[in-house]
Amino acid sequence: MSDTTTPPAEPYTLASPLDALDWRNRAAELGTPYYTPQRPTPIADPYPVIFNADVAALLGLDAEAMQTAGYATVLSGNALPAAAAPVSHRYGGHQFGLWAGQLGDGRAITLGDIETESGQVYDIQLKGAGATPYSRFADGRAVLRSTIREFLASEALAALRIPTTRALSIVGSDMPIYRETAETAAILTRVAPSHVRFGSFEMLFYDRRFDALAPLADAVISTHHPEIAAITDPATRYRHWVAHVVECTATLVADWQAVGFCHGVLNTDNMSILGQTLDYGPFGFLDRFNPEWICNHTDAGGRYTYRQQPQVGLWNLGRFVQAVLPLLDDDPEEAVAIGQSLLDAYRETFDAAWLARMRAKLGLTDAKDTDRALIESLLQCMATDGADFTRVFRGLCAVSGASGGHEAAFVDEFVDREAARGWLAEWRTRLGDTNADDAARAARMKGVNPKYILRNYLAQQAIEQAQAGDYSALERLHDVLRRPFDEQPENADYARLPPDWARGLVLSCSA
Ligand code: AMP
Ligand code: MG
């Protein structure tokens, strides 16, 4: 595989290690009205930026062979694996609370799906591979900046054990792309068991193509939920499936809240049917804790703040459940009642998942009614003080439960140290005798309170170097984020508070 110097007019077939994968192309088989055949548009002189051996391993793809052969031609879409059947997906969505009509894969092209030896299915998708029937007024491309942010964030979340799409590679091209300024193009290879969204079903509902709901639902269920697929009565099967979507969405949002991750654009077209984090744009990890923080400059009304995310998860599920009501019962009124009862499970599931995660962050191994108040009072202290979300919890791991020794790591994160000490006293009382083994508790807590998160300024530094042609900072940051719970004393700089210049970083949807 050698890189082309001028792009071919059409992608051609090129032998590569991707050929050794077991291609299934279920999306292409499902066809209209869900998927449209669409080949990538070749791009000038693609070059390698970063390749992720972790994701290659998931796929059963020979990482070394991919790198030696040069992955840029085939992972830019200039050439295709022989067995690929590329498609773009048709979906709609509610954007910032309003039905936006048809959106679809405007710049993402799924080459196909593959099945690994263990039976796991993955879509292999090129994001930024050129225009599709769904590009509307836009260019079908992505800029290097946004692909690096998505690459790093998806890999950071995966390492934090949060469900997410993954990133296999980035390929660059010097083709100019015009956003606020001229930037260069890049193509991200995104990998996920499915890229179907809530908006995939909403699109069919708003088209009044109720007949088209079941085939898509069945495709999702049979590929990803064999235990639900085994239910023969269709209405019962779909109810179980919807209950599952509600549950995995609730636990995903709880995962985000527990690490201070703000998605930024929680439109229903960005909500994965598998409860994975999907479509990274102007996301942000909280540094100074402010529950009202708006990480997306485009979200002037603050619809998608950290505090709002749990509520937004439920609202989005409401749009999804509305779309699939025809599957739940033939009688519309009965379907609404069933849909409502399925949604009613959200709050309890979210709440239990959130409490479990927060208890673990505080090192608690049992549950008491007073725990919620203890957690809320810490979050209140942090918000009043603007303390760093990640450093506070990591600092707490070191504090002795019995004596309060080593409290500086925690208390020094606050301006109001007396308030922090006051909270520590409550925490130590709560720990009581049951958690007397400081070392064991610290080890446990360090396994859930990361030391390293993707701070915006770290991403920005990696981006600026990459834009100058040096990918070493990107590689190094990726490597740090792969092990977020490890001490990594040699990388302690990456766990520092953001520098002052980073406070002004503003992110918008432009990508
Ligand atoms: P996003 O905010 O990235 O989730 O995108 C919202 C919608 O806009 C999706 O339908 C995208 O495919 C589409 N879109 C975003 N950027 C582009 C682009 N550069 N070219 C074509 N479509 C795009
Ligand atoms: Mg999107």
Side-chain angles (χ1 to χ4, degrees), residues 196-254:
V196 171
R197 300 130 194 276
F198 290 5
S200 310
F201 292 92
E202 290 177 272
M203 188 71 245
L204 304 168
F205 177 82
Y206 280 89
D207 280 349
R208 306 191 66 77
R209 287 289 312 269
F210 305 141
D211 60 309
L213 290 166
L216 184 61
D218 283 328
V220 170
I221 295 168
S222 65
T223 311
H224 305 289
H225 310 296
E227 64 301 342
I228 301 177
I231 304 172
T232 45
D233 173 56
T236 312
R237 180 166 71 240
Y238 298 131
R239 290 174 203 172
H240 272 83
W241 169 59
V242 171
H244 177 78
V245 177
V246 170
E247 184 182 341
C248 64
T249 303
T251 53
L252 174 68
V253 179

Side-chain angles (χ1 to χ4, degrees), residues 43 75-77 126-129 141-142 147 169-172 185-189:
I43 197 162
L75 294 182
S76 62
L126 306 181
K127 187 169 175 182
R141 294 296 181 188
T147 57
S169 63
I170 298 176
V171 169
I187 292 141
L188 175 86
T189 300

Side-chain angles (χ1 to χ4, degrees), residues 47-50 144 148 465-467 469-476:
Y47 47 79
V49 172
I50 189 165
L144 181 62
I148 290 178
Q465 284 200 28
Q467 285 169 334
D470 174 0
Y471 308 125
S472 57
L474 170 61
E475 294 275 4
R476 185 157 170 222

Side-chain angles (χ1 to χ4, degrees), residues 91 197 269-270 279:
Y91 57 82
R197 300 130 194 276
D269 49 303
N270 293 339
D279 274 10

Side-chain angles (χ1 to χ4, degrees), residues 162-438:
I162 299 180
T164 175
T165 61
R166 303 292 300 267
L168 175 65
S169 63
I170 298 176
V171 169
S173 163
D174 289 337
M175 173 179 159
I177 300 291
Y178 300 95
R179 297 291 182 257
E180 278 89 359
T181 58
E183 300 185 48
T184 60
I187 292 141
L188 175 86
T189 300
R190 181 161 70 175
V191 167
S194 170
H195 289 87
V196 171
R197 300 130 194 276
F198 290 5
S200 310
F201 292 92
E202 290 177 272
M203 188 71 245
L204 304 168
F205 177 82
Y206 280 89
D207 280 349
R208 306 191 66 77
R209 287 289 312 269
F210 305 141
D211 60 309
L213 290 166
L216 184 61
D218 283 328
V220 170
I221 295 168
S222 65
T223 311
H224 305 289
H225 310 296
E227 64 301 342
I228 301 177
I231 304 172
T232 45
D233 173 56
T236 312
R237 180 166 71 240
Y238 298 131
R239 290 174 203 172
H240 272 83
W241 169 59
V242 171
H244 177 78
V245 177
V246 170
E247 184 182 341
C248 64
T249 303
T251 53
L252 174 68
V253 179
D255 280 336
W256 292 341
Q257 299 304 95
V259 298
F261 176 78
C262 298
H263 181 287
V265 205
L266 282 177
N267 296 331
T268 57
D269 49 303
N270 293 339
M271 296 293 292
S272 148
I273 202 65
L274 300 183
Q276 298 200 325
T277 314
L278 172 66
D279 274 10
Y280 293 84
F283 65 83
F285 279 89
L286 285 165
D287 39 56
R288 291 167 70 87
F289 182 53
N290 169 13
E292 313 298 343
W293 184 49
I294 301 173
C295 64
N296 176 3
H297 188 58
T298 314
D299 180 18
R303 184 178 175 86
Y304 298 140
T305 60
Y306 173 79
R307 188 198 291 284
Q308 291 292 336
Q309 292 190 129
Q311 183 56 36
V312 166
L314 176 58
W315 192 89
N316 288 346
L317 281 165
R319 309 286 71 71
F320 164 67
V321 170
Q322 180 185 30
V324 298
L325 282 180
L327 298 178
L328 300 182
D329 201 282
D330 289 338
D331 172 8
E333 275 183 36
E334 189 59 23
V336 169
I338 293 165
Q340 191 55 55
S341 74
L342 291 167
L343 285 171
D344 285 344
Y346 178 87
R347 278 183 207 285
E348 212 173 302
T349 307
F350 170 79
D351 214 53
W354 181 80
L355 266 175
R357 283 157 183 71
M358 298 310 286
R359 280 194 180 107
K361 286 175 82 70
L362 298 193
L364 306 177
T365 47
D366 59 348
K368 287 204 172 140
D369 288 345
T370 50
D371 293 344
R372 182 187 301 276
L374 184 68
I375 297 161
E376 297 285 2
S377 78
L378 174 58
L379 292 173
Q380 186 55 54
C381 263
M382 290 162 62
T384 308
D385 227 277
D388 185 89
F389 190 91
T390 304
R391 291 175 58 93
V392 163
F393 285 104
R394 186 73 179 189
L396 185 63
C397 305
V399 182
S400 163
S403 67
H406 305 290
E407 66 171 28
F410 174 81
V411 169
D412 287 357
E413 295 300 324
F414 293 83
V415 180
D416 186 349
R417 293 174 189 203
E418 276 319 299
R421 281 198 190 93
W423 183 85
L424 268 188
E426 284 177 46
W427 173 72
R428 284 172 44 221
T429 307
R430 168 67 181 85
L431 281 181
D433 301 333
T434 51
N435 276 298
D437 183 347
D438 280 337

